Amino acid sequence: MYSKKLMDHFTNPRNVGEIADADGVGMEGNPTCGDTMKIFIKVKDDIITDAKFQTFGCGAAIAVSSMITEMAKGKTLTEALSITKESVADALDGMPPQKMHCSNLGSDALRKAIEDYHAKGTQK
Amino acid sequence: MRYFDHVATNPLNPEVFNAMLPYFKEEFGNPLSVYGLGQSAKQAIEDARVKVAALVNCKAQEITFTSSGAESNNMAIRGIAMARRKEGNHIIVSRVEHHSVLNSARALEKEDFVVTYLVPDKFGMVSPADIKKAINKDTILISITHASSEIGTIEPIAEIVKTAKEHNVAVHADGVATTGNIPIDVMQLGVDAYSLSAHQFYGPKGAGALYLKRGQRILPLIYGGIQENGRRAGTENVPAIVGMGKAAEMAKAELPTRMAHVKKLRDKLIDGLTKIEKVHLTGHPDNRLPGHASFVVEYIEGEGMLLMLEANDIYSASGSACTSKALKASPILLSMGYSSSVTHGSIVFSLGIDNTEEDIDQVLEHMPKIIKRLREMSPFAKEGWGAIDDLEESKEGNHV
Ligand code: FES
């Protein structure tokens, strides 16, 4: 059902955990199945320097969290906002159609984390 | 391979396979043919009928062969409802039924039948008192599962039948999960119809049967020739029926040993897993299928557990929303009062005669690690479910 790459990100997820002094936190619930993803970011000079996640969801949702936090790191906030569910899914070598909504969860949580950062107005 | 998904299907017993083989090859005749080749196929079917009847303690003529448990359920509900249509249009089922029962009932709703869906208690048990309350003058049929494959709880069928009989209502029980796993006596249960499926007791897929009490009227689902006494047309699946007969014969002979074997392993598994924090047994603690152990693990989701178990060559099932094709929380667990968040952590181990003590040791070794790992990733493990604002409250008195 899942690609090798997705299974790798599920079995050895990168960036698991919280960032205690995060500059932005975004939490998103999955309206389809009811699952939850939380993304923490550290920002410096408009660049995401660190990203971590906590996810309550299926294998695909965990792999998406791992991949999107990897993708976000090193990107400017504007670049990070352009990460879509498709680009995450592509980076994972594809996802089953019924699991695309789990990919959505990733980009939405990241966007919320960035919005949270802006809202806090703690630009460094 | 450590296989814990016997409610999905069982491996075919090698002796059953051998019994079936000739009917794929030299014994290929059509049971309706009058010459010897046809007649020996016919004889094989009738022998199988006797064996299946013996497994549930009825007369051979009361057994109709079908293609599956689902077909048996469809046939019983639709067939009896249609046959009794003039007497009334009300049907009672429960919320712990299999889709083949629920969807048959829903289909009838579109044809002017009225269906009551009874909510079980926190153990998934349907109350005979609720049945009594639900019966009205139009009630013609009650269909309750003998045991749900998701929670393992054995339903009080005999008591339900007693209530139903006082009101002249027919009772069908879905015995797919029970037949071959606990002793079944349809006479003692008093049911009018009972569904069974061969691959739930080491027989082949594509073979089911419906017990119909003598005199119970039913309309067929499949019209055609006179096979199965006109109740179910279509050239018989002779090898599958022969296999079902052999599997039934073996199940009857070995039932006490099989039950003792899986029960011992099941108890060890339940003991071990419920020691882990925030892991709860679902279904009834005592009144459950001997090989059935189902749980909810809080703060994590079932698919992750299944994938990690598979990585360790362990195969089980989950009723979580993410593992379901519809991405919906388990309606059965919800009906028992679990919050939808908790149902995500559903995991079901169903044991069979092929399981060993070592299999259980492996599960007990890996599950704590898997749960720990997934909880490390979960936003809820540390602070509990409080993090979900819209968390529904569990039904009062629930153990979660
Ligand atoms: S998070 Fe529920 S299906 Fe992916």
Side-chain angles (χ1 to χ4, degrees), chain B residues 170-222:
Chain B
V171 178
H172 163 253
D174 171 3
V176 169
T178 42
T179 309
N181 293 306
I182 57 170
I184 303 297
D185 184 333
V186 288
M187 309 290 265
Q188 214 166 52
L189 289 172
V191 288
D192 302 287
Y194 196 85
S195 299
L196 35 148
S197 169
H199 74 115
Q200 298 289 327
F201 48 93
Y202 310 95
K205 295 164 188 63
L210 181 66
Y211 156 77
L212 271 178
K213 192 194 234 161
R214 226 188 121 177
Q216 176 59 54
R217 283 179 303 128
I218 192 159
L219 292 187
L221 286 184
I222 301 175

Short mmCIF file of all heavy atoms in Angstrom, two decimals, chain B residues 170-222:
data_model
loop_
_atom_site.label_atom_id
_atom_site.label_comp_id
_atom_site.label_asym_id
_atom_site.label_seq_id
_atom_site.Cartn_x
_atom_site.Cartn_y
_atom_site.Cartn_z
N ALA B 170 -39.77 -13.63 14.38
CA ALA B 170 -38.69 -14.55 13.99
C ALA B 170 -37.34 -13.98 14.41
O ALA B 170 -37.16 -12.76 14.43
CB ALA B 170 -38.72 -14.75 12.48
N VAL B 171 -36.41 -14.86 14.77
CA VAL B 171 -35.07 -14.40 15.16
C VAL B 171 -34.01 -15.04 14.28
O VAL B 171 -33.96 -16.27 14.13
CB VAL B 171 -34.77 -14.71 16.64
CG1 VAL B 171 -33.35 -14.26 17.00
CG2 VAL B 171 -35.79 -14.04 17.56
N HIS B 172 -33.18 -14.19 13.70
CA HIS B 172 -32.01 -14.65 12.98
C HIS B 172 -30.78 -14.24 13.77
O HIS B 172 -30.71 -13.12 14.28
CB HIS B 172 -31.94 -14.01 11.59
CG HIS B 172 -30.58 -14.10 10.95
ND1 HIS B 172 -29.74 -13.01 10.82
CD2 HIS B 172 -29.89 -15.15 10.45
CE1 HIS B 172 -28.60 -13.39 10.24
NE2 HIS B 172 -28.67 -14.69 10.00
N ALA B 173 -29.81 -15.15 13.89
CA ALA B 173 -28.55 -14.78 14.53
C ALA B 173 -27.42 -14.98 13.53
O ALA B 173 -27.38 -15.99 12.82
CB ALA B 173 -28.33 -15.62 15.78
N ASP B 174 -26.53 -14.00 13.49
CA ASP B 174 -25.35 -14.10 12.63
C ASP B 174 -24.30 -14.88 13.43
O ASP B 174 -23.72 -14.36 14.38
CB ASP B 174 -24.87 -12.68 12.30
CG ASP B 174 -23.52 -12.66 11.62
OD1 ASP B 174 -22.97 -13.74 11.33
OD2 ASP B 174 -23.01 -11.55 11.36
N GLY B 175 -24.07 -16.11 13.01
CA GLY B 175 -23.15 -16.98 13.74
C GLY B 175 -21.83 -17.16 13.04
O GLY B 175 -21.12 -18.14 13.26
N VAL B 176 -21.48 -16.20 12.18
CA VAL B 176 -20.24 -16.34 11.41
C VAL B 176 -19.02 -16.40 12.34
O VAL B 176 -18.12 -17.21 12.15
CB VAL B 176 -20.12 -15.18 10.39
CG1 VAL B 176 -18.73 -15.13 9.77
CG2 VAL B 176 -21.17 -15.34 9.29
N ALA B 177 -19.01 -15.54 13.36
CA ALA B 177 -17.83 -15.50 14.23
C ALA B 177 -17.85 -16.60 15.29
O ALA B 177 -16.82 -16.91 15.88
CB ALA B 177 -17.75 -14.13 14.91
N THR B 178 -19.02 -17.18 15.53
CA THR B 178 -19.12 -18.17 16.61
C THR B 178 -18.98 -19.61 16.13
O THR B 178 -18.36 -20.43 16.81
CB THR B 178 -20.49 -18.03 17.32
OG1 THR B 178 -21.50 -17.85 16.32
CG2 THR B 178 -20.50 -16.89 18.30
N THR B 179 -19.57 -19.92 14.97
CA THR B 179 -19.61 -21.32 14.53
C THR B 179 -18.19 -21.87 14.36
O THR B 179 -17.38 -21.29 13.65
CB THR B 179 -20.39 -21.45 13.21
OG1 THR B 179 -21.63 -20.79 13.37
CG2 THR B 179 -20.62 -22.93 12.88
N GLY B 180 -17.94 -22.99 15.00
CA GLY B 180 -16.62 -23.59 14.93
C GLY B 180 -15.70 -23.07 16.02
O GLY B 180 -14.59 -23.58 16.20
N ASN B 181 -16.15 -22.02 16.73
CA ASN B 181 -15.32 -21.46 17.79
C ASN B 181 -15.89 -21.67 19.19
O ASN B 181 -15.15 -21.67 20.17
CB ASN B 181 -15.11 -19.96 17.55
CG ASN B 181 -14.26 -19.72 16.31
OD1 ASN B 181 -13.18 -20.26 16.19
ND2 ASN B 181 -14.77 -18.95 15.39
N ILE B 182 -17.20 -21.81 19.27
CA ILE B 182 -17.85 -22.21 20.53
C ILE B 182 -18.93 -23.23 20.15
O ILE B 182 -19.34 -23.29 18.99
CB ILE B 182 -18.49 -21.00 21.29
CG1 ILE B 182 -19.51 -20.27 20.40
CG2 ILE B 182 -17.43 -20.03 21.79
CD1 ILE B 182 -20.35 -19.24 21.15
N PRO B 183 -19.40 -24.03 21.11
CA PRO B 183 -20.44 -25.00 20.76
C PRO B 183 -21.72 -24.27 20.34
O PRO B 183 -22.12 -23.32 21.00
CB PRO B 183 -20.67 -25.75 22.08
CG PRO B 183 -19.54 -25.40 22.97
CD PRO B 183 -19.02 -24.08 22.53
N ILE B 184 -22.31 -24.69 19.24
CA ILE B 184 -23.55 -24.08 18.77
C ILE B 184 -24.64 -25.13 18.74
O ILE B 184 -24.46 -26.21 18.17
CB ILE B 184 -23.38 -23.52 17.33
CG1 ILE B 184 -22.23 -22.52 17.25
CG2 ILE B 184 -24.69 -22.88 16.87
CD1 ILE B 184 -22.40 -21.29 18.09
N ASP B 185 -25.75 -24.79 19.36
CA ASP B 185 -26.91 -25.66 19.34
C ASP B 185 -28.12 -24.80 18.98
O ASP B 185 -28.69 -24.11 19.83
CB ASP B 185 -27.09 -26.29 20.74
CG ASP B 185 -28.22 -27.30 20.76
OD1 ASP B 185 -29.15 -27.16 19.94
OD2 ASP B 185 -28.19 -28.21 21.60
N VAL B 186 -28.49 -24.84 17.71
CA VAL B 186 -29.56 -23.93 17.27
C VAL B 186 -30.90 -24.29 17.90
O VAL B 186 -31.76 -23.43 18.07
CB VAL B 186 -29.70 -23.89 15.72
CG1 VAL B 186 -28.54 -23.14 15.10
CG2 VAL B 186 -29.86 -25.27 15.13
N MET B 187 -31.05 -25.58 18.28
CA MET B 187 -32.31 -25.99 18.94
C MET B 187 -32.41 -25.30 20.29
O MET B 187 -33.43 -24.75 20.66
CB MET B 187 -32.33 -27.51 19.16
CG MET B 187 -32.02 -28.30 17.92
SD MET B 187 -33.36 -28.16 16.74
CE MET B 187 -34.23 -29.64 17.21
N GLN B 188 -31.28 -25.37 21.02
CA GLN B 188 -31.27 -24.76 22.34
C GLN B 188 -31.41 -23.23 22.26
O GLN B 188 -32.10 -22.61 23.05
CB GLN B 188 -29.97 -25.11 23.02
CG GLN B 188 -30.08 -25.29 24.51
CD GLN B 188 -28.82 -25.96 25.03
OE1 GLN B 188 -27.70 -25.52 24.76
NE2 GLN B 188 -29.00 -27.04 25.78
N LEU B 189 -30.72 -22.64 21.27
CA LEU B 189 -30.84 -21.18 21.11
C LEU B 189 -32.27 -20.82 20.74
O LEU B 189 -32.76 -19.75 21.09
CB LEU B 189 -29.88 -20.69 20.02
CG LEU B 189 -28.38 -20.72 20.33
CD1 LEU B 189 -27.57 -20.38 19.08
CD2 LEU B 189 -28.05 -19.74 21.46
N GLY B 190 -32.91 -21.70 19.98
CA GLY B 190 -34.29 -21.45 19.58
C GLY B 190 -34.45 -20.54 18.38
O GLY B 190 -35.56 -20.13 18.04
N VAL B 191 -33.35 -20.21 17.73
CA VAL B 191 -33.42 -19.27 16.60
C VAL B 191 -34.15 -19.88 15.41
O VAL B 191 -34.26 -21.10 15.27
CB VAL B 191 -32.01 -18.83 16.13
CG1 VAL B 191 -31.37 -17.89 17.13
CG2 VAL B 191 -31.12 -20.05 15.88
N ASP B 192 -34.65 -19.02 14.55
CA ASP B 192 -35.33 -19.47 13.33
C ASP B 192 -34.36 -19.53 12.16
O ASP B 192 -34.60 -20.22 11.18
CB ASP B 192 -36.47 -18.50 13.00
CG ASP B 192 -37.44 -18.41 14.16
OD1 ASP B 192 -38.18 -19.38 14.36
OD2 ASP B 192 -37.41 -17.40 14.88
N ALA B 193 -33.28 -18.76 12.25
CA ALA B 193 -32.27 -18.76 11.19
C ALA B 193 -30.92 -18.45 11.80
O ALA B 193 -30.84 -17.71 12.79
CB ALA B 193 -32.63 -17.73 10.12
N TYR B 194 -29.88 -19.03 11.21
CA TYR B 194 -28.54 -18.87 11.78
C TYR B 194 -27.53 -18.93 10.63
O TYR B 194 -27.56 -19.87 9.83
CB TYR B 194 -28.28 -20.01 12.78
CG TYR B 194 -27.12 -19.77 13.73
CD1 TYR B 194 -27.30 -19.05 14.91
CD2 TYR B 194 -25.86 -20.29 13.45
CE1 TYR B 194 -26.24 -18.84 15.78
CE2 TYR B 194 -24.80 -20.10 14.33
CZ TYR B 194 -25.00 -19.37 15.50
OH TYR B 194 -23.95 -19.16 16.36
N SER B 195 -26.66 -17.92 10.54
CA SER B 195 -25.70 -17.87 9.43
C SER B 195 -24.35 -18.41 9.84
O SER B 195 -23.89 -18.16 10.95
CB SER B 195 -25.50 -16.41 8.99
OG SER B 195 -26.70 -15.85 8.56
N LEU B 196 -23.70 -19.11 8.92
CA LEU B 196 -22.34 -19.56 9.20
C LEU B 196 -21.46 -19.48 7.95
O LEU B 196 -21.96 -19.38 6.84
CB LEU B 196 -22.31 -20.97 9.79
CG LEU B 196 -23.30 -22.03 9.38
CD1 LEU B 196 -22.65 -23.39 9.45
CD2 LEU B 196 -24.49 -21.97 10.30
N SER B 197 -20.17 -19.50 8.20
CA SER B 197 -19.22 -19.33 7.12
C SER B 197 -18.02 -20.26 7.31
O SER B 197 -17.44 -20.31 8.40
CB SER B 197 -18.75 -17.87 7.10
OG SER B 197 -17.65 -17.73 6.24
N ALA B 198 -17.65 -20.99 6.26
CA ALA B 198 -16.65 -22.06 6.39
C ALA B 198 -15.25 -21.54 6.69
O ALA B 198 -14.50 -22.18 7.43
CB ALA B 198 -16.62 -22.89 5.10
N HIS B 199 -14.88 -20.40 6.11
CA HIS B 199 -13.48 -19.98 6.30
C HIS B 199 -13.23 -19.42 7.70
O HIS B 199 -12.11 -19.03 8.02
CB HIS B 199 -13.04 -19.00 5.21
CG HIS B 199 -13.59 -17.62 5.31
ND1 HIS B 199 -12.79 -16.52 5.54
CD2 HIS B 199 -14.85 -17.16 5.23
CE1 HIS B 199 -13.57 -15.44 5.57
NE2 HIS B 199 -14.80 -15.81 5.38
N GLN B 200 -14.26 -19.40 8.53
CA GLN B 200 -14.06 -19.02 9.92
C GLN B 200 -13.71 -20.23 10.77
O GLN B 200 -13.39 -20.10 11.94
CB GLN B 200 -15.32 -18.35 10.46
CG GLN B 200 -15.68 -17.06 9.73
CD GLN B 200 -14.72 -15.92 10.04
OE1 GLN B 200 -14.19 -15.82 11.13
NE2 GLN B 200 -14.48 -15.06 9.07
N PHE B 201 -13.81 -21.43 10.18
CA PHE B 201 -13.36 -22.61 10.92
C PHE B 201 -12.49 -23.51 10.04
O PHE B 201 -12.69 -24.69 9.93
CB PHE B 201 -14.51 -23.37 11.62
CG PHE B 201 -15.73 -23.67 10.77
CD1 PHE B 201 -15.84 -24.88 10.09
CD2 PHE B 201 -16.78 -22.77 10.70
CE1 PHE B 201 -16.98 -25.17 9.34
CE2 PHE B 201 -17.93 -23.05 9.95
CZ PHE B 201 -18.02 -24.26 9.28
N TYR B 202 -11.53 -22.89 9.39
CA TYR B 202 -10.48 -23.59 8.64
C TYR B 202 -11.00 -24.29 7.39
O TYR B 202 -10.35 -25.17 6.85
CB TYR B 202 -9.70 -24.55 9.55
CG TYR B 202 -9.24 -23.83 10.80
CD1 TYR B 202 -9.99 -23.87 11.97
CD2 TYR B 202 -8.11 -23.03 10.76
CE1 TYR B 202 -9.62 -23.15 13.08
CE2 TYR B 202 -7.73 -22.29 11.87
CZ TYR B 202 -8.49 -22.36 13.04
OH TYR B 202 -8.13 -21.64 14.13
N GLY B 203 -12.18 -23.87 6.93
CA GLY B 203 -12.69 -24.34 5.66
C GLY B 203 -12.36 -23.33 4.57
O GLY B 203 -11.67 -22.33 4.82
N PRO B 204 -12.86 -23.59 3.36
CA PRO B 204 -12.54 -22.69 2.23
C PRO B 204 -13.38 -21.41 2.24
O PRO B 204 -14.45 -21.37 2.84
CB PRO B 204 -12.92 -23.55 1.02
CG PRO B 204 -14.01 -24.44 1.52
CD PRO B 204 -13.69 -24.73 2.96
N LYS B 205 -12.89 -20.40 1.56
CA LYS B 205 -13.69 -19.21 1.29
C LYS B 205 -14.71 -19.56 0.22
O LYS B 205 -14.55 -20.53 -0.50
CB LYS B 205 -12.78 -18.08 0.81
CG LYS B 205 -11.81 -17.63 1.89
CD LYS B 205 -10.69 -16.80 1.31
CE LYS B 205 -9.62 -16.52 2.35
NZ LYS B 205 -8.96 -17.76 2.85
N GLY B 206 -15.76 -18.76 0.13
CA GLY B 206 -16.77 -19.04 -0.89
C GLY B 206 -17.75 -20.12 -0.48
O GLY B 206 -18.47 -20.65 -1.32
N ALA B 207 -17.76 -20.47 0.80
CA ALA B 207 -18.71 -21.47 1.28
C ALA B 207 -19.36 -20.95 2.56
O ALA B 207 -18.69 -20.68 3.55
CB ALA B 207 -18.02 -22.80 1.55
N GLY B 208 -20.67 -20.80 2.51
CA GLY B 208 -21.43 -20.39 3.69
C GLY B 208 -22.66 -21.27 3.79
O GLY B 208 -22.92 -22.09 2.91
N ALA B 209 -23.39 -21.09 4.87
CA ALA B 209 -24.63 -21.84 5.01
C ALA B 209 -25.60 -21.04 5.85
O ALA B 209 -25.20 -20.17 6.63
CB ALA B 209 -24.38 -23.20 5.65
N LEU B 210 -26.88 -21.34 5.64
CA LEU B 210 -27.92 -20.74 6.46
C LEU B 210 -28.76 -21.86 7.05
O LEU B 210 -29.29 -22.70 6.32
CB LEU B 210 -28.80 -19.80 5.62
CG LEU B 210 -29.91 -19.09 6.39
CD1 LEU B 210 -29.33 -18.12 7.42
CD2 LEU B 210 -30.84 -18.34 5.44
N TYR B 211 -28.84 -21.88 8.38
CA TYR B 211 -29.78 -22.78 9.03
C TYR B 211 -31.13 -22.11 9.00
O TYR B 211 -31.26 -20.93 9.33
CB TYR B 211 -29.35 -23.03 10.48
CG TYR B 211 -30.50 -23.44 11.38
CD1 TYR B 211 -31.02 -24.73 11.35
CD2 TYR B 211 -31.10 -22.52 12.24
CE1 TYR B 211 -32.10 -25.10 12.15
CE2 TYR B 211 -32.18 -22.87 13.05
CZ TYR B 211 -32.68 -24.17 12.99
OH TYR B 211 -33.74 -24.51 13.79
N LEU B 212 -32.14 -22.84 8.57
CA LEU B 212 -33.50 -22.33 8.59
C LEU B 212 -34.36 -23.37 9.28
O LEU B 212 -34.47 -24.50 8.82
CB LEU B 212 -34.02 -22.16 7.17
CG LEU B 212 -33.79 -20.84 6.46
CD1 LEU B 212 -34.35 -20.92 5.06
CD2 LEU B 212 -34.41 -19.68 7.23
N LYS B 213 -34.95 -22.96 10.38
CA LYS B 213 -35.79 -23.89 11.13
C LYS B 213 -36.90 -24.41 10.23
O LYS B 213 -37.47 -23.67 9.43
CB LYS B 213 -36.40 -23.14 12.32
CG LYS B 213 -37.06 -24.05 13.32
CD LYS B 213 -37.90 -23.21 14.25
CE LYS B 213 -37.53 -23.47 15.67
NZ LYS B 213 -37.98 -22.42 16.56
N ARG B 214 -37.19 -25.70 10.38
CA ARG B 214 -38.24 -26.32 9.57
C ARG B 214 -39.51 -25.50 9.66
O ARG B 214 -39.95 -25.12 10.73
CB ARG B 214 -38.50 -27.72 10.10
CG ARG B 214 -38.57 -28.73 8.98
CD ARG B 214 -39.01 -30.04 9.49
NE ARG B 214 -40.22 -30.40 8.77
CZ ARG B 214 -40.83 -31.54 8.94
NH1 ARG B 214 -40.38 -32.40 9.83
NH2 ARG B 214 -41.88 -31.82 8.23
N GLY B 215 -40.08 -25.19 8.51
CA GLY B 215 -41.34 -24.45 8.51
C GLY B 215 -41.15 -22.94 8.38
O GLY B 215 -42.10 -22.22 8.11
N GLN B 216 -39.92 -22.46 8.59
CA GLN B 216 -39.66 -21.02 8.45
C GLN B 216 -39.78 -20.63 6.98
O GLN B 216 -39.06 -21.17 6.14
CB GLN B 216 -38.27 -20.68 8.98
CG GLN B 216 -37.89 -19.23 8.79
CD GLN B 216 -38.86 -18.29 9.49
OE1 GLN B 216 -39.12 -18.41 10.68
NE2 GLN B 216 -39.41 -17.34 8.73
N ARG B 217 -40.66 -19.72 6.69
CA ARG B 217 -40.83 -19.29 5.30
C ARG B 217 -39.74 -18.30 4.92
O ARG B 217 -39.32 -17.48 5.73
CB ARG B 217 -42.20 -18.67 5.09
CG ARG B 217 -43.32 -19.72 5.01
CD ARG B 217 -44.66 -19.07 4.82
NE ARG B 217 -44.94 -18.12 5.89
CZ ARG B 217 -45.31 -16.87 5.69
NH1 ARG B 217 -45.45 -16.40 4.46
NH2 ARG B 217 -45.55 -16.06 6.71
N ILE B 218 -39.30 -18.39 3.68
CA ILE B 218 -38.25 -17.47 3.21
C ILE B 218 -38.38 -17.34 1.70
O ILE B 218 -38.77 -18.29 1.02
CB ILE B 218 -36.86 -17.99 3.61
CG1 ILE B 218 -35.80 -16.90 3.39
CG2 ILE B 218 -36.49 -19.27 2.86
CD1 ILE B 218 -34.53 -17.12 4.20
N LEU B 219 -38.07 -16.15 1.18
CA LEU B 219 -38.00 -15.99 -0.27
C LEU B 219 -36.54 -16.03 -0.68
O LEU B 219 -35.68 -15.53 0.04
CB LEU B 219 -38.63 -14.66 -0.70
CG LEU B 219 -40.14 -14.52 -0.50
CD1 LEU B 219 -40.64 -13.22 -1.13
CD2 LEU B 219 -40.89 -15.71 -1.11
N PRO B 220 -36.25 -16.64 -1.81
CA PRO B 220 -34.84 -16.72 -2.22
C PRO B 220 -34.29 -15.36 -2.66
O PRO B 220 -35.04 -14.46 -3.03
CB PRO B 220 -34.85 -17.70 -3.40
CG PRO B 220 -36.26 -17.83 -3.84
CD PRO B 220 -37.15 -17.30 -2.77
N LEU B 221 -32.96 -15.25 -2.59
CA LEU B 221 -32.28 -14.08 -3.18
C LEU B 221 -31.99 -14.35 -4.64
O LEU B 221 -31.96 -13.45 -5.46
CB LEU B 221 -30.93 -13.84 -2.49
CG LEU B 221 -30.85 -13.27 -1.10
CD1 LEU B 221 -29.38 -13.06 -0.74
CD2 LEU B 221 -31.59 -11.95 -1.01
N ILE B 222 -31.69 -15.63 -4.91
CA ILE B 222 -31.27 -16.01 -6.26
C ILE B 222 -32.30 -16.97 -6.84
O ILE B 222 -32.52 -18.06 -6.28
CB ILE B 222 -29.87 -16.65 -6.23
CG1 ILE B 222 -28.86 -15.68 -5.61
CG2 ILE B 222 -29.43 -17.08 -7.63
CD1 ILE B 222 -27.48 -16.24 -5.41
#
